[in-house]
Amino acid sequence: SYSISRGSLAFLLLNFLYNADCIRCHWEEEIKPRRNQARILGSVLLYTSPLLFMPDDDGSRFVLFCKIWCYFVVAVWCFVAYPIGGWSHAAFHIVL
């Protein structure tokens, strides 16, 4: 998030705090899969959002945003569809 936002310490701190809270939720007694999935989506959206909002002359940031989200969609498909059984969770992390 630091490099994507061109060195914004405030944006780095925002991402750090959000991800720290996501980690905290993993240690709660009750696991809520929908909440975890929503937090993963929020995390990826948060750290890629500067690509949409920062000035860009040639549109390359938007192209990069789309490429990152293509990888993310494949990763989510691995996680949700479970195409390779127990290895699907590992494939999710490898794709990301």
Side-chain angles (χ1 to χ4, degrees), residues 59-90:
S60 61
R61 288 185 177 275
F62 180 73
V63 171
L64 180 58
F65 178 86
C66 292
K67 287 179 181 179
I68 290 171
W69 275 86
C70 284
Y71 280 109
F72 184 65
V73 167
V74 170
V76 167
W77 175 77
C78 286
F79 193 75
V80 172
Y82 238 58
I84 50 178
W87 291 98
S88 296
H89 188 123

Side-chain angles (χ1 to χ4, degrees), residues 6 51-64:
R6 292 189 178 168
L51 294 171
L52 292 177
F53 301 112
M54 298 200 66
D56 183 14
D57 294 334
D58 61 355
S60 61
R61 288 185 177 275
F62 180 73
V63 171
L64 180 58

